[in-house]
């Protein structure tokens, strides 16, 4: 994955700002589905003018992946 410039959190999720300016949020979950809470998280801007990447250490539902992508996130499932 990316090289990090700074470590932080977004809500309760571990996150980092990459050296190329992407806010990368790490989700260590078994399965991520598109719930109202996840939809609110994905559609609420974290840092204006930044690119976002969700790194999912587990599985993500097709609807959650589509929701993140529609909201401008790159999704990586590991």
């Amino acid at each position: 994955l990316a090289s990090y410039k700074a470590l932080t959190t977004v809500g309760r999720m571990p996150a980092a700002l990459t050296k190329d300016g992407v806010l990368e949020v790490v989700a260590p979950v078994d399965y991520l589905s598109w719930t109202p809470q996840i939809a609110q998280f994905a559609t609420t801007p974290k840092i204006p003018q930044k690119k976002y990447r969700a790194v999912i250490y587990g599985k993500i539902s097709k609807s959650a992946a589509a929701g993140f992508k529609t909201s401008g996130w790159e999704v990586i499932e590991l």
Side-chain angles (χ1 to χ4, degrees):
L1 295 174
S3 296
Y4 299 115
K5 178 178 176 181
L7 299 176
T8 187
T9 58
V10 175
R12 297 181 304 179
M13 302 300 297
L17 187 60
T18 66
K19 290 183 180 182
D20 60 349
V22 176
L23 180 65
E24 192 168 276
V25 178
V26 178
V29 297
D30 290 328
Y31 189 77
L32 184 66
S33 51
W34 193 244
T35 65
Q37 295 85 1
I38 296 299
Q40 181 179 0
F41 175 84
T43 59
T44 303
K46 312 303 175 236
I47 300 174
Q49 309 298 318
K50 290 290 177 191
K51 293 181 181 179
Y52 304 112
R53 181 179 300 130
V55 180
I56 312 299
Y57 284 89
K59 298 291 181 189
I60 185 170
S61 71
K62 289 181 183 181
S63 59
F68 271 93
K69 289 176 183 176
T70 299
S71 299
W73 290 73
E74 174 188 0
V75 176
I76 298 174
E77 187 177 354
L78 301 175

